[in-house]
Amino acid sequence: MESRDAENECGFPWEMGVFDAHCHPTDTMSSIADIPRMKATTLTVMSTRGEDQDLVLQVANDLAKDSTASEPPRILPCFGWHPWFSHQIIDDTAADSGTGGDSVAAIKLAHYRKVLKPSPDDAFISSLPEPKPLSQLISETRSRLLAFPAALVGEIGLDRAFRLPQPWTQEEMDARNGEMTPGSREGRRLSPHMVRIEHQKAILEAQLRLAGELQRPVSVHSVQGHGAVFEVFQRLWEGHGRRVASRRERKRRNSVAGAHAGSDAEGDDDGEAASTGLGTQPPLPFPPRICMHSYSGPVATLKQFLQPSNPSDVYFSFSDVINFGHQSDKSIAVIKALPDDRVLIESDLHIAGDEMDERLERVTRLVCELRGWDLRQGVERLAANWQRFVYG
């Protein structure tokens, strides 16, 4: 035991369980074979667009065959539509969707002119895919989530900074890396066109409602849009706020709990009643737990996300690639300010294997140092936080 403890003082305690809260290994399918050899326990694998939904499903199925029921899954699949690709979804649920009667070509032109700013010309629109109906997206996502009872909704969110890439040139097509899953930017020059925030909100809200219907946690992307994201949450939370006990009520409750601490039978009855009551409640329009992935907002914004009356528990995950670069001072302040039980770590990496493990170890060490946690204590805390975020 002493030799193992000494080894872990210098090394890293992978054996305690390390959980990547957000990553994208299906962007590089050739790396998937490295996952069984990785040191990380579980990768929470996001989908983002049309090209990777079935890839995440396929990888989850394949790796599930090689694991036993008693061990944590090697990957936890997540199904969602990223705001970078939200323009590819047409909101056929809206009253003014304009999807009836017109030709497919006319609907496509009208849709992209409506949701993109500045309005693109016909040549740019011709390079874009035919938009998928939002109702179809939600139906397909529901089917995938039902196939995996523990699957999350993600990656979803809002992005005020993103601009669509320019159409592929023939030279770029000839030079592209064939190991990369199609559909992403892959280094192309950016156009001036952005997705209107109201359209992004509609796509985000529909997916949050689905997560509420199935009571699944969500992983949320937010760039220059934390206030707008919170507005969407707030609208869905309306009328469902948790009642916050007064100081006097909390004191009385603690006194009663102390007086009945030895009554196992009473505790079991209460737990059974709470458990059986869940199945009779109507679906809620919001997810039970939310992860703000690679959170880049200021400390001042944390208070609204962490209000005790919020009916969703909000977690915050951090990656070395996003949070410890040019905005590290802000991220350091946020990490220090958060409650112990709301911190997660992630790689946000597009390739599985050694580099993903290295990034997870790096961000874990950074978070532990900033929180003042002993390394083993920190790894244990972060693992428990991931378990609560995923499973409740």
Side-chain angles (χ1 to χ4, degrees), residues 149-389:
L152 278 62
V153 173
E155 177 178 2
I156 61 177
L158 301 178
D159 194 316
R160 290 187 183 274
F162 175 73
R163 289 182 289 150
L164 273 66
Q166 293 283 9
W168 287 94
T169 66
Q170 189 58 52
E171 183 179 5
E172 288 169 337
M173 286 293 293
D174 293 341
R176 75 173 295 272
N177 181 354
E179 292 191 349
M180 295 292 294
T181 298
S184 63
R185 178 187 171 190
E186 294 188 45
R188 286 178 287 162
R189 292 179 299 112
L190 296 177
S191 77
H193 304 296
M194 309 176 79
V195 186
R196 295 184 183 276
I197 197 67
E198 290 308 315
H199 180 70
Q200 293 188 45
K201 283 183 175 181
I203 306 309
L204 170 61
E205 181 172 327
Q207 295 180 92
L208 289 171
R209 287 183 178 277
L210 175 62
E213 173 194 330
L214 301 180
Q215 285 298 280
R216 304 300 178 88
V218 301
S219 187
V220 175
H221 170 109
S222 178
V223 173
Q224 298 179 18
H226 304 297
V229 165
F230 186 75
E231 287 173 7
V232 176
F233 294 163
Q234 206 168 29
R235 185 162 61 248
L236 299 179
W237 288 339
E238 188 173 357
H240 298 278
R242 290 171 175 157
R243 182 178 177 277
V244 181
S246 68
R247 184 178 300 176
R248 178 179 295 179
E249 287 173 323
R250 290 197 300 271
K251 185 176 180 180
R252 185 185 303 119
R253 185 183 303 159
N254 289 338
S255 298
V256 172
H260 294 281
S263 177
D264 292 339
E266 182 177 350
D268 289 345
D269 289 345
D270 289 346
E272 183 178 353
S275 175
T276 55
L278 284 175
T280 63
Q281 294 178 354
L284 295 170
F286 54 84
R289 294 172 298 284
I290 296 165
C291 173
M292 301 298 294
H293 116 81
S294 284
Y295 179 72
S296 59
V299 170
T301 310
L302 295 179
K303 186 176 180 180
Q304 62 186 7
F305 285 111
L306 294 172
Q307 283 288 341
S309 58
N310 294 343
S312 302
D313 292 331
V314 183
Y315 294 74
F316 301 81
S317 63
F318 301 93
S319 62
D320 74 313
V321 66
I322 301 294
N323 297 109
F324 293 97
H326 64 280
Q327 58 179 4
S328 60
D329 288 347
K330 182 163 58 173
S331 296
I332 287 169
V334 167
I335 291 169
K336 288 182 175 180
L338 281 170
D340 285 349
D341 63 350
R342 298 301 178 90
V343 183
L344 300 170
I345 51 100
E346 58 169 276
S347 68
D348 196 23
L349 198 61
H350 66 283
I351 184 169
D354 291 342
E355 184 180 354
M356 189 173 282
D357 278 338
E358 289 165 8
R359 288 185 182 273
L360 289 172
E361 178 176 346
R362 192 178 309 150
V363 72
T364 300
R365 289 182 180 276
L366 286 166
V367 167
C368 288
E369 181 179 349
L370 292 171
R371 299 289 306 180
W373 292 337
D374 165 81
L375 184 58
R376 293 184 67 84
Q377 173 197 29
V379 169
E380 184 177 29
R381 282 185 183 274
L382 292 168
N385 289 353
W386 182 88
Q387 293 280 352
R388 278 195 308 272
F389 164 63

Side-chain angles (χ1 to χ4, degrees), residues 7-282:
E7 177 185 348
N8 285 328
E9 286 178 9
C10 301
F12 189 79
W14 291 102
E15 75 283 354
M16 297 184 69
V18 176
F19 300 85
D20 188 336
H22 187 108
C23 59
H24 301 270
T26 54
D27 278 356
T28 313
M29 285 298 291
S30 59
S31 74
I32 297 300
D34 293 332
I35 292 177
R37 296 189 290 274
M38 286 180 62
K39 299 173 185 174
T41 306
T42 300
L43 311 181
T44 314
V45 177
M46 302 292 139
S47 56
T48 59
R49 58 194 188 275
E51 289 85 352
D52 65 6
Q53 306 289 325
D54 284 337
L55 293 181
V56 172
L57 185 70
Q58 169 196 324
V59 170
N61 278 321
D62 289 347
L63 291 181
K65 297 172 186 174
D66 300 327
S67 61
T68 65
S70 62
E71 59 187 10
R74 293 299 292 173
I75 79 160
L76 186 68
C78 308
F79 303 105
W81 205 272
H82 196 289
W84 290 356
F85 310 100
S86 57
H87 60 289
Q88 298 174 2
I89 304 300
I90 185 168
D91 187 0
D92 60 332
T93 66
D96 60 345
S97 61
T99 56
D102 293 331
S103 67
V104 172
I107 291 172
K108 177 180 177 179
L109 285 169
H111 166 71
Y112 283 119
R113 286 173 181 158
K114 177 182 177 182
V115 304
L116 297 179
K117 62 174 187 178
S119 183
D121 59 26
D122 290 2
F124 188 86
I125 292 175
S126 69
S127 71
L128 300 174
E130 289 184 11
K132 175 197 287 281
L134 178 57
S135 59
Q136 180 183 343
L137 167 64
I138 296 302
S139 176
E140 291 173 351
T141 305
R142 181 185 290 107
S143 295
R144 294 185 178 103
L145 291 168
L146 291 174
F148 285 88
L152 278 62
V153 173
E155 177 178 2
I156 61 177
L158 301 178
D159 194 316
R160 290 187 183 274
F162 175 73
R163 289 182 289 150
L164 273 66
Q166 293 283 9
W168 287 94
T169 66
Q170 189 58 52
E171 183 179 5
E172 288 169 337
M173 286 293 293
D174 293 341
R176 75 173 295 272
N177 181 354
E179 292 191 349
M180 295 292 294
T181 298
S184 63
R185 178 187 171 190
E186 294 188 45
R188 286 178 287 162
R189 292 179 299 112
L190 296 177
S191 77
H193 304 296
M194 309 176 79
V195 186
R196 295 184 183 276
I197 197 67
E198 290 308 315
H199 180 70
Q200 293 188 45
K201 283 183 175 181
I203 306 309
L204 170 61
E205 181 172 327
Q207 295 180 92
L208 289 171
R209 287 183 178 277
L210 175 62
E213 173 194 330
L214 301 180
Q215 285 298 280
R216 304 300 178 88
V218 301
S219 187
V220 175
H221 170 109
S222 178
V223 173
Q224 298 179 18
H226 304 297
V229 165
F230 186 75
E231 287 173 7
V232 176
F233 294 163
Q234 206 168 29
R235 185 162 61 248
L236 299 179
W237 288 339
E238 188 173 357
H240 298 278
R242 290 171 175 157
R243 182 178 177 277
V244 181
S246 68
R247 184 178 300 176
R248 178 179 295 179
E249 287 173 323
R250 290 197 300 271
K251 185 176 180 180
R252 185 185 303 119
R253 185 183 303 159
N254 289 338
S255 298
V256 172
H260 294 281
S263 177
D264 292 339
E266 182 177 350
D268 289 345
D269 289 345
D270 289 346
E272 183 178 353
S275 175
T276 55
L278 284 175
T280 63
Q281 294 178 354

